[in-house]
Amino acid sequence: MTRYVAGMSQSLSIFYLFARFDPQGGDAWSRRALRLMAAFGEKARHTVAADACVGGVPDGVRATLAQQPPPLTGAVSVARYEAIARAMRGHDLVLSFGAGAIDAVMARRAFPRDAPPIVHHEDAEATTIGGAARLYRRIALGAAAGLVVRSDEAAAPAAARWKVGGERLHVIPDGVDLSAFARGPDAKTVAGFRRKPADVVIGVVADLSGDGANGGEDVALLVRAVAGLSARFRLVVVGDGPGRAAVEKAALAMGVDDRLVLPGALPRSAAYLGGFDVLLLPLRPGPAPAVVVEAMAAGVPVMALRETAAAALLSAENGAILSAHAAEVTLRDALQPLATDATLRAAIGAANRARAAQVHDAAAMIARSAAVYGAAAGRPGSLM
């Protein structure tokens, strides 16, 4: 490959590195990278490399998949680091995403000659890692031109534990297209479902691809909690897979199977989220699903577990009513005021929509990312 020299073209050459590239699945960084590629357009040339690539790059996004991606994961090896460094050369900028791509940053530190600048993107969960892994990140990130996290809650420990601060640390939340949610829901999206005026519609969007705790069992807990509400309700569970059986079984056992709607997986969340009165999340820690910010954009209150990544995204008004524990009775009690008070739902929904507009607008995410990347590459304004 001919080595690319910065400045030889009007467009930047950007190399995107993932342990797993899955933009159509559950990987938020992959979806975000695609949105950036589409926004930057011909201002940059995009190459994606991943240890595992699911689905490829969709039509309409001008990007190339590396035919021989560098080995991002594996045992500590000088030879592997050298292979990663070799693959990065020739680009103006490298963007690495998630804990599985941290070795790219270490490769940049180990083999700095002719290496382009690298900006790493990390999840909040990685900031809690201790021991040798924490030291490893501290050493590696010393070579990064920048570190991007999604929230202030992630930025504070990143600065303290990895010693990345000042102008190298950037808080850029994921963005959503707010205009898509302003149009309101499409009543025909959930086939066969028509809400009744007296019902409160509680929605769940979940991965039912497994039948254990990460499949239907955690949603079954939600069914048992909702069944105890002293309010007329309909429960709409969006998602499909083997875990659906556990959800149906829980509804039948609680005597609320006639109030359960299972439409399967649905495209275009903007078409149905606004039809929910409350969005109910599975009560487990982990990365915040994209649907949280989408529900906020639709003006919907969210019920989730306190002190989680999802909770950190919500408005203060919404955060004040979250469930303290992942237990049926605790969740039922937290959900009861939302189920019975339309005025409260409207106030929290409005606060969520305002926070989404202030913090999570896709246009703001793209503009801030473009500024960070252009500066790191030594070409300020080149992606604007």
Side-chain angles (χ1 to χ4, degrees):
M1 181 175 99
T2 303
R3 188 168 72 86
Y4 183 82
V5 178
M8 68 182 289
S9 170
Q10 291 299 312
S11 61
L12 286 177
S13 177
I14 305 179
F15 196 38
Y16 300 76
L17 291 173
F18 299 84
R20 179 182 175 86
F21 183 65
D22 185 12
Q24 308 307 319
D27 184 46
W29 286 126
S30 297
R31 293 194 300 269
R32 177 159 161 170
L34 273 188
R35 180 172 287 171
L36 291 169
M37 293 176 203
F40 297 158
E42 295 184 359
K43 296 173 184 174
R45 292 179 290 126
H46 312 285
T47 303
V48 177
D51 279 350
C53 189
V54 181
V57 177
D59 294 339
V61 178
R62 299 181 62 181
T64 301
L65 289 177
Q67 297 303 306
Q68 294 182 315
L72 287 180
T73 57
V76 173
S77 164
V78 172
R80 189 167 64 83
Y81 291 158
E82 187 173 18
I84 298 171
R86 190 183 310 118
M88 294 191 294
R89 294 186 189 119
H91 299 280
D92 289 308
L93 178 67
V94 177
L95 304 178
S96 54
F97 296 86
I102 189 64
D103 282 359
V105 190
M106 184 60 85
R108 171 66 173 77
R109 184 176 185 87
F111 295 94
R113 184 176 179 181
D114 294 330
I118 185 168
V119 176
H120 186 62
H121 304 67
E122 194 55 271
D123 295 308
E125 291 70 32
T127 62
T128 64
I129 297 173
R134 178 186 297 180
L135 179 60
Y136 183 91
R137 279 170 168 74
R138 182 182 299 181
I139 295 170
L141 289 167
L147 172 67
V148 175
V149 294
R150 292 188 176 98
S151 66
D152 291 329
E153 289 77 11
R161 297 168 185 171
W162 300 338
K163 306 304 178 185
V164 179
E167 296 182 353
R168 291 199 303 135
L169 182 59
H170 310 279
V171 178
I172 308 179
D174 285 332
V176 297
D177 181 4
L178 299 181
S179 62
F181 292 87
R183 292 190 287 270
D186 181 349
K188 298 179 181 179
T189 300
V190 181
F193 172 65
R194 295 293 180 271
R195 67 180 302 157
K196 298 177 181 178
D199 288 345
V200 58
V201 179
I202 300 172
V204 177
V205 180
D207 178 10
L208 298 177
S209 59
D211 55 8
N214 291 325
E217 291 300 331
D218 53 357
V219 181
L221 183 151
L222 306 184
V223 173
R224 293 191 292 270
V226 172
L229 292 173
S230 59
R232 290 180 55 87
F233 68 85
R234 298 293 294 280
L235 179 61
V236 181
V237 179
V238 178
D240 210 354
R244 178 184 177 120
V247 177
E248 293 174 324
K249 182 179 179 181
L252 187 62
M254 298 300 294
V256 295
D257 51 301
D258 60 332
R259 301 190 223 176
L260 175 66
V261 181
L262 288 163
L266 297 176
R268 297 193 313 111
S269 56
Y272 64 83
L273 275 179
F276 296 163
D277 292 307
V278 181
L279 176 69
L280 181 55
L281 294 184
L283 300 185
R284 59 172 181 257
V291 73
V292 175
V293 176
E294 292 171 348
M296 292 169 64
V300 175
V302 177
M303 177 53 63
L305 190 63
R306 290 182 193 170
E307 298 181 0
T308 58
L313 298 175
L314 299 168
S315 66
E317 292 84 346
N318 199 150
I321 54 97
L322 298 182
S323 181
H325 304 290
E328 287 91 338
V329 174
T330 307
L331 175 59
R332 180 204 65 195
D333 292 346
L335 195 56
Q336 184 67 43
L338 285 175
T340 56
D341 191 339
T343 301
L344 177 64
R345 293 197 302 269
I348 292 178
N352 278 349
R353 186 184 294 112
R355 179 164 172 80
Q358 179 185 17
V359 180
H360 301 292
D361 182 25
M365 181 275 289
I366 291 167
R368 294 183 63 192
S369 297
V372 170
Y373 300 161
R379 302 265 296 277
S382 57
L383 295 171
M384 305 293 280

